Amino acid sequence: MKNCIILLLVAFVCSQQAQAQENVSIGPMAGVSIANLRGDISNTNWKPGLTIGGFYNYSSETGFGFSGQLLFTQLGAQTDSKRNELNLNYIQAPLLATFFFGKYGDVVRPKIFLGPTLNFMTSARDKNGNNVNGDSNNRNFSVFDLGGTVGAGLNIRLAQKIWLNFDARYGFGLLDITRLDNSNIKNNNWGINTGLSFPLGTYDKNTGRLRTR
C-alpha cells in the first residue's frame, strides 16, 4: 500500500512537471482594425475593419518569446471627405518577438512585442464593393507589402493552460502600395485583438524539436 501511494505521488509530480514545461500554444484571435493611409494622398479618414485569424506562441522561463500569426485584416481608408471608402483586404503574417513581464506561470503576464509583418493583398474595393484594382495585366496596387508591428498586451490564465490573450498594436507599412507613377502611399493602422491560447506541446531549444501533447 505504501509503495502504491509513493508511485502515485511520483506519477502526479512528473505529470505536473511535464505540464509546466509546455511552452508552445496555438489558438484563434479576432479584433478590430482602425486603418488609414499616409503619404501622397489627401482627404482621408480612419476606417474601421475586421481582423480574424490564428496564432502560434512560444514563451520561455526567461520572459522572451515569439508569436507567429496568420490574419485576415481589412485596411484602407475613408476617402473623399468620408463620401467613399478604399477597402484594402490583406492576408497578414506578423512575426513578433515578445517579452513577458512577471514570473513564468503568473496568472497575469503583461507583454510587449515588435517585428516585421508580411502583407499579401487579396482585393481592393470601393464603398459599393466595386473592384478598384484594375485587371490582372494592369494592377493599381501592389500584391505585396512589407510592414512592421509594435504593441503591448496581457495574457490572463483562465484555466489550466488556457489563456486569454489581449493586445493593442500599431502597424505601419514600409513600401508604396500603389503602382502609380509619382505617388508614395503606405498603410497605417491601429488594432485591438483578443484570442484564446491552448497548449500544443514543448519546444526544446537544445534539440530544436517540438514534443506535442
Side-chain angles (χ1 to χ4, degrees):
M1 183 66 178
K2 182 179 180 180
N3 291 336
C4 290
I5 293 174
I6 293 174
L7 287 174
L8 289 173
L9 288 174
V10 170
F12 175 78
V13 170
C14 290
S15 66
Q16 291 299 103
Q17 288 178 343
Q19 290 181 2
Q21 292 171 354
E22 290 175 342
N23 54 17
V24 175
S25 60
I26 58 174
M29 64 183 294
V32 176
S33 167
I34 309 297
N36 204 342
L37 299 170
R38 69 184 198 279
D40 299 328
I41 189 169
S42 59
N43 296 323
T44 65
N45 295 92
W46 295 91
K47 180 187 76 70
L50 173 71
T51 295
I52 188 168
F55 61 87
Y56 164 103
N57 280 345
Y58 164 75
S59 60
S60 69
E61 294 185 6
T62 62
F64 289 96
F66 171 80
S67 179
Q69 303 171 357
L70 190 63
L71 309 172
F72 170 79
T73 304
Q74 296 176 321
L75 301 180
Q78 292 183 336
T79 60
D80 300 327
S81 300
K82 298 184 179 182
R83 291 190 295 270
N84 201 351
E85 290 181 358
L86 178 59
N87 297 302
L88 304 178
N89 297 323
Y90 285 90
I91 298 297
Q92 294 188 308
L95 306 172
L96 305 174
T98 306
F99 181 78
F100 293 93
F101 297 92
K103 295 181 179 180
Y104 192 76
D106 283 352
V107 175
V108 178
R109 298 202 74 189
K111 62 185 177 182
I112 56 175
F113 54 85
L114 62 89
T117 301
L118 311 179
N119 303 312
F120 302 90
M121 182 179 289
T122 60
S123 65
R125 300 186 181 277
D126 64 14
K127 186 177 183 178
N128 297 319
N130 300 310
N131 176 38
V132 294
N133 199 17
D135 57 37
S136 58
N137 298 318
N138 188 25
R139 295 295 187 193
N140 295 320
F141 297 95
S142 299
V143 173
F144 176 73
D145 178 34
L146 175 65
T149 298
V150 296
L154 294 172
N155 284 12
I156 304 170
R157 189 170 67 223
L158 301 180
Q160 183 66 26
K161 297 299 180 178
I162 300 177
W163 294 76
L164 173 68
N165 293 218
F166 171 83
D167 73 66
R169 62 182 64 187
Y170 173 65
F172 52 94
L174 298 173
L175 304 178
D176 179 11
I177 63 172
T178 73
R179 291 185 171 177
L180 307 176
D181 295 334
N182 302 318
S183 73
N184 192 335
I185 299 174
K186 297 176 180 178
N187 282 311
N188 199 31
N189 81 298
W190 294 92
I192 298 176
N193 303 294
T194 58
L196 282 177
S197 63
F198 303 90
L200 177 63
T202 303
Y203 172 75
D204 188 335
K205 63 181 180 180
N206 295 320
T207 63
R209 296 180 178 179
L210 173 66
R211 185 176 70 252
T212 57
R213 303 184 72 188

